[in-house]
Amino acid sequence: MVRITLKTVLAGRRRLLATALAVFLGVAFLSGTLALSDTLRDNFDELFADASAGTDVVVRSAAEISVAGDRGPDTRQRGLIDASLAERLRAVEGVAVAEASIEGYGQLLGADGRAVGGNGPPRVAGTWVSDPELNPYRLVDGRAPRAPGEVVINRGAAREGALPVGARTVVQTPEPVEVTVVGIATFGDADGMGRVTFTGFTAADASRHIAKGPSRASSVLVRGRDGISQEELARRVRAVLPPGVEAITGSQLAEENIDEISAQFLDMLSAFLVVFAGVALLVASFSIYNTFSILVAQRSREVALLRAAGATRRQVLLSALAETAVVGVVASLAGLAGGVGLAGLLKGLFDTFGFSLPAGGLVFNGSSILVSLVVGVVVTVAAGAAPAVRASRVAPLAALRDVAVDRSGLSRGRASAGAALTGAGVFAVIGAVAGGGGGSVVLAGLGAAATMVGVVVLGPVTARPAASLLGWPASRLGGVTGSLARQNAVRNPRRTAGSATALLVGVGVVVLFTVFASSLKASIDRTVTESFGGDLVVATPSFGGGALSPRLAESLGRLPEVERATGVGEGPAMVDGAPRRLTVTDPAVLGELLVLDVVEGTLAAVGPTELAVSDEVAADRGWRLGAPVTVGFADGDTARLTVAAVYRAREVAGDYLVSRAAWAPHAPQDSDRTVFVSLAEGVGLAEGRAAVERAAAPYGRPPVQDRDEYAAAATRGVDMLLGIVYALLGLAVLIALMGIANTLSLSVHERARELGLLRAVGQTRAQVRSMVLGESVVVAVFGTVGGMALGLFLGWALVQAAGAETARFALPVGPLAIVVAAGAAAGVLAGIRPARRAARLDVLGAIGTA
């Protein structure tokens, strides 16, 4: 049986090629995803280790406030410490060097006046540390800054901004600071710390522009003498620190940074990519199942002869499983090699859409290799298990039969089980999201899974009537050829359903994301339309941070073309003991530019000792007008504010509104993310925009947008993410189409005698091609329509689960029509090769096929 199995694999290698290719692509996607994750983690580990390599101890404030990114990116703020601590630490036994360091936000402008960097990596400015062992940057051109206005920048930023030594430019901290580049530095041997831009000031300039005070610092960097460990030095340093200040080792700092980047970015990216790798493998499993099902049907006489010659059911079963295992092992090993190239393609994909990822030499951990290989083999064997069991059940007398009739579409048990699973899944999903998003995520997930399984089980039951309905236009327009195509799709419902299911899953996920993205965009557009009453917006990028100086809003407000302007910033604080995100603005002016729907009090009453809150927060906390609220800041100060207004519209304003007078004393780098502008009466939009753009030019030329452009910019991140999703799902759809093509190719081989007879009675080659292409289109449209129905339902459920504040359901008619058209076109493409093969069959040879 071993020899027979190996000879069977070799004899049918062409038929197994498409199946192996599906496994190869799925494993390549998974291994490429894991390799990219391994590479990024290794690079970040190396970057953070290099950044703190010469630092033995870091002394910093123990007070840090962190707000998770429920309504934006994660926000963290740590308090400053007394810079004079450096002098005290130099007297500690074992300390060789202690140097105060300041680090914060600093946007470097290039020679063209535009911002350098962006789309994720931080833009850092701080002290140029004089001790070369404490400073991870190395001068490669020029010198260190010595006089006011002199800076060192990293080589990557210098190249991108066309800023050689001697160039004059501006650094926004966020106030514009005119500087001269006197030095270019590398981060070790690299052009920078990944894609981070760095600007190094003198200690005095860093105090003036970033810490906003001569006696404050972000941290004190300590280097110990030879022979003393980091832990021992940290213990000695802690003994002299005042309350509210902590000391950690350089190794702890590196681990902390790695954990932070993993929690905020790497884990999320890995999970995101693994989901799509899972979809690709799921689609591949349907193609594998269908291929082996057809092969089992074609070999029924061969298996029966083996049984008649004495082979046991166990031997037949093991032979069939061994065949799938051979395919799985070979394809998975090839997929591991393909994953190396795919990791580079994935990184290039993110770079293309503006999400630059740092990646050096490719790293492929042993665990990732093992996981990819095991998953590929297990998926292949699991998908081929059912056909293998079916092969073992072939009776010896089947060798005398000519034809096997597929009655899967008539199975009452299948119909009952499929209907029960689908009904239970739909019921669970609807129950989970009932009430507009407060339902159980676990229940919704289980319901979605049950719905999908139920749809797959029902596939052969629905394939016969669905294929008959979808093939009706072909039979009406294509005459006899069209009728034959329709009948071919109808007569084997299990095969039709198996081919279509892979495409159904891929299209379903595409439609799900399309519906959710369209609903999210529609919700954002509606929010802007309903809430923004101004004319122009000056905004930072929606992704990648950025900051505007509060002086920009003041400058715009003084323009004769502008009636009023106000900046909107944000920051973290402890509100009644819980970390919360504050919106910082002039509430009275904001209330005139945004429709906040104030239900109690007045925004004009919100001053340095007051705040405004959303009605949801007020109801949750039981706050009324005049209620006291304790607000703690990262600098250690605490303020007792009173509620002066309650509003309903929280989409733009958030849940907590405070004045700049209440916030600025506690934020060294007070900044805005957006400036809303209303034009003076009689000023046209073009005239007002030109005036605002001129006034904003010294601040890095931030984009000036009208209402429609502002809404479009707010949804640009959604479009970019959707583009990445489509590109990732493209592989799953490709695997599904390969499955259809493989099924048709095997079907052509199986029906060789039938095709020969049709040619013998007068059917032309063109008619044969049309018949096979028609069958392919019916199968593809069946999968596409089924996937659309499933995707629409799950997309609706996802929108409802997200809640009305995040998205409101919107039906994207245009994109869905494109999906249907693309599904039909894909059917034509998938059927081209099998149709050509069918048309080229030798008539006499085909008639003589056993």
Side-chain angles (χ1 to χ4, degrees):
M1 288 300 296
V2 173
R3 289 197 299 270
I4 291 174
T5 300
L6 292 176
K7 287 182 178 180
T8 300
V9 172
L10 292 174
R13 57 186 180 276
R14 287 188 177 180
R15 304 182 201 178
L16 296 173
L17 181 60
T19 300
L21 188 57
V23 179
F24 164 79
L25 290 174
V27 172
F29 199 163
L30 177 61
S31 60
T33 292
L34 297 178
L36 181 61
S37 299
D38 291 342
T39 301
L40 291 174
R41 291 181 191 280
D42 185 77
N43 286 336
F44 278 115
D45 288 355
E46 186 176 341
L47 284 173
F48 290 127
D50 289 346
S52 58
T55 304
D56 294 315
V57 175
V58 177
V59 176
R60 64 186 186 184
S61 171
E64 183 191 46
I65 300 176
S66 175
V67 180
D70 55 337
R71 297 182 63 83
D74 288 359
T75 303
R76 293 175 181 269
Q77 186 172 327
R78 187 179 291 275
L80 301 179
I81 61 175
D82 190 342
S84 64
L85 269 175
E87 190 66 35
R88 184 191 305 181
L89 295 177
R90 292 186 189 110
V92 173
E93 184 181 358
V95 171
V97 178
E99 190 168 338
S101 174
I102 297 170
E103 186 175 287
Y105 173 82
Q107 174 64 74
L108 181 69
L109 302 186
D112 59 358
R114 299 188 183 278
V116 177
N119 262 8
R123 284 153 278 193
V124 177
T127 309
W128 177 256
V129 178
S130 59
D131 185 81
E133 293 189 49
L134 290 175
N135 191 345
Y137 286 92
R138 302 286 180 266
L139 278 170
V140 292
D141 191 12
R143 59 174 176 81
R146 293 194 291 260
E150 294 183 345
V151 297
V152 171
I153 62 176
N154 67 292
R155 189 163 62 188
R159 288 175 174 172
E160 184 177 344
L163 298 170
V165 171
R168 293 191 58 79
T169 186
V170 171
V171 178
Q172 296 175 311
T173 63
E175 281 75 25
V177 179
E178 293 187 1
V179 297
T180 301
V181 178
V182 297
I184 306 293
T186 58
F187 184 83
D189 295 328
D191 288 346
M193 187 178 178
R195 298 278 296 171
V196 173
T197 63
F198 172 74
T199 304
F201 288 94
T202 63
D205 273 0
S207 296
R208 183 181 307 113
H209 301 306
I210 300 174
K212 302 297 191 290
S215 62
R216 298 190 292 181
S218 303
S219 61
V220 176
L221 306 179
V222 179
R223 178 166 59 83
R225 300 186 185 279
D226 293 341
I228 185 171
S229 69
Q230 290 188 355
E231 290 74 15
E232 174 59 22
L233 187 62
R235 187 187 65 77
R236 296 179 187 180
V237 165
R238 291 187 190 107
V240 301
L241 295 180
V245 180
E246 66 179 13
I248 63 172
T249 66
S251 298
Q252 288 175 321
L253 178 64
E255 291 175 5
E256 188 179 281
N257 288 331
I258 292 167
D259 291 342
E260 181 178 334
I261 196 69
S262 294
Q264 293 185 7
F265 173 66
L266 292 180
D267 291 345
M268 181 179 65
L269 176 65
S270 298
F272 177 77
L273 291 175
V274 167
V275 165
F276 291 99
V279 172
L281 285 166
L282 178 62
V283 171
S285 69
F286 287 115
S287 297
I288 297 163
Y289 170 82
N290 212 39
T291 297
F292 282 106
S293 294
I294 295 172
L295 291 177
V296 165
Q298 291 177 357
R299 296 176 187 164
S300 59
R301 294 185 69 186
E302 174 188 327
V303 173
L305 286 172
L306 286 173
R307 292 293 313 281
T312 65
R313 286 185 59 183
R314 181 173 177 273
Q315 286 177 315
V316 172
L317 175 62
L318 291 177
S319 175
L321 288 176
E323 185 175 351
T324 62
V326 169
V327 173
V329 170
V330 172
S332 298
L333 288 173
L336 289 176
V340 174
L342 197 60
L345 291 177
L346 287 172
K347 183 182 182 303
L349 172 66
F350 281 90
D351 290 346
T352 300
F353 283 95
F355 297 93
S356 297
L357 301 176
L362 189 67
V363 176
F364 215 156
N365 291 335
S367 59
S368 298
I369 295 174
L370 182 62
V371 166
S372 301
L373 185 60
V374 170
V375 168
V377 175
V378 168
V379 166
T380 307
V381 173
V389 171
R390 198 177 306 131
S392 70
R393 291 175 178 171
V394 174
L397 288 177
L400 303 176
R401 299 174 190 158
D402 251 353
V403 183
V405 179
D406 180 9
R407 299 187 179 275
S408 57
L410 304 177
S411 170
R412 292 184 178 181
R414 177 185 290 274
S416 300
L421 278 170
T422 305
V426 170
F427 182 79
V429 170
I430 293 176
V433 303
S440 166
V441 175
V442 174
L443 182 60
L446 291 174
T451 302
M452 181 170 291
V453 173
V455 168
V456 172
V457 173
L458 277 175
V461 179
T462 58
R464 189 183 298 273
S468 180
L469 177 64
L470 295 172
W472 180 82
S475 65
R476 295 289 294 177
L477 300 176
V480 175
T481 301
S483 296
L484 288 172
R486 180 189 186 190
Q487 290 303 315
N488 286 336
V490 167
R491 70 176 177 177
N492 201 318
R494 177 181 289 162
R495 184 177 302 170
T496 298
S499 302
T501 299
L503 187 59
L504 181 148
V505 172
V507 170
V509 179
V510 168
V511 171
L512 186 154
F513 279 101
T514 300
V515 168
F516 185 75
S518 297
S519 300
L520 187 60
K521 291 170 64 176
S523 180
I524 293 172
D525 187 70
R526 187 182 296 113
T527 296
V528 172
T529 302
E530 293 177 354
S531 64
F532 180 40
D535 300 294
L536 297 171
V537 177
V538 184
T540 56
S542 57
F543 179 80
L548 300 171
S549 168
R551 286 164 47 188
L552 174 58
E554 298 173 6
S555 300
L556 297 181
R558 291 193 293 267
L559 294 175
E561 295 87 354
V562 173
E563 180 181 358
R564 61 178 64 88
T566 187
V568 178
E570 62 181 30
M574 301 297 292
V575 180
D576 269 7
R580 294 289 183 262
R581 190 188 306 270
L582 304 182
T583 300
V584 182
T585 186
D586 183 335
V589 178
L590 187 68
E592 296 176 353
L593 290 170
L594 295 181
V595 180
L596 296 181
D597 194 9
V598 177
V599 294
E600 288 186 80
T602 173
L603 293 174
V606 180
T609 59
E610 293 83 24
L611 82 164
V613 298
S614 68
D615 60 341
E616 185 173 310
V617 167
D620 206 31
R621 305 301 299 271
W623 290 342
R624 308 282 301 176
L625 290 182
V629 180
T630 302
V631 179
F633 301 96
D635 63 356
D637 287 350
T638 300
R640 196 169 178 81
L641 307 182
T642 57
V643 177
V646 179
Y647 54 90
R648 284 199 181 97
R650 56 196 288 266
E651 289 83 1
V652 177
D655 286 317
Y656 303 89
L657 273 178
V658 298
S659 67
R660 181 149 272 115
W663 169 259
H666 311 286
Q669 290 187 286
D670 183 24
S671 63
D672 288 328
R673 293 291 304 273
T674 309
V675 178
F676 295 106
V677 179
S678 66
L679 300 177
E681 187 175 353
V683 176
L685 191 62
E687 178 187 356
R689 184 199 290 266
V692 171
E693 286 176 344
R694 286 194 298 271
Y699 295 86
R701 299 183 184 177
V704 178
Q705 304 157 343
D706 60 25
R707 293 160 62 96
D708 293 339
E709 291 168 339
Y710 175 51
T715 60
R716 192 167 295 133
V718 178
D719 290 332
M720 292 169 67
L721 183 61
L722 194 60
I724 292 174
V725 167
Y726 283 162
L728 294 175
L729 287 174
L731 181 62
V733 174
L734 175 62
I735 294 173
L737 295 178
M738 286 169 46
I740 294 175
N742 194 37
T743 299
L744 287 171
S745 294
L746 292 171
S747 176
V748 166
H749 177 80
E750 182 182 37
R751 302 197 314 245
R753 187 176 184 184
E754 172 190 321
L755 293 170
L757 288 171
L758 287 172
R759 289 294 314 283
V761 297
Q763 190 176 48
T764 66
R765 286 188 173 184
Q767 288 175 322
V768 171
R769 283 195 296 267
S770 297
M771 181 181 69
V772 177
L773 282 174
E775 183 179 352
S776 177
V777 170
V778 170
V779 173
V781 173
F782 176 41
T784 301
V785 172
M788 181 172 296
L790 183 65
L792 279 173
F793 172 67
L794 296 181
W796 168 83
L798 182 61
V799 171
Q800 297 302 314
E805 291 182 0
T806 302
R808 301 175 188 177
F809 182 73
L811 189 64
V813 177
L816 293 182
I818 293 174
V819 170
V820 173
V828 175
L829 291 175
I832 288 176
R833 185 173 178 274
R836 185 179 301 167
R837 182 183 174 191
R840 290 178 177 176
L841 282 175
D842 177 71
V843 177
L844 294 179
I847 293 174
T849 301

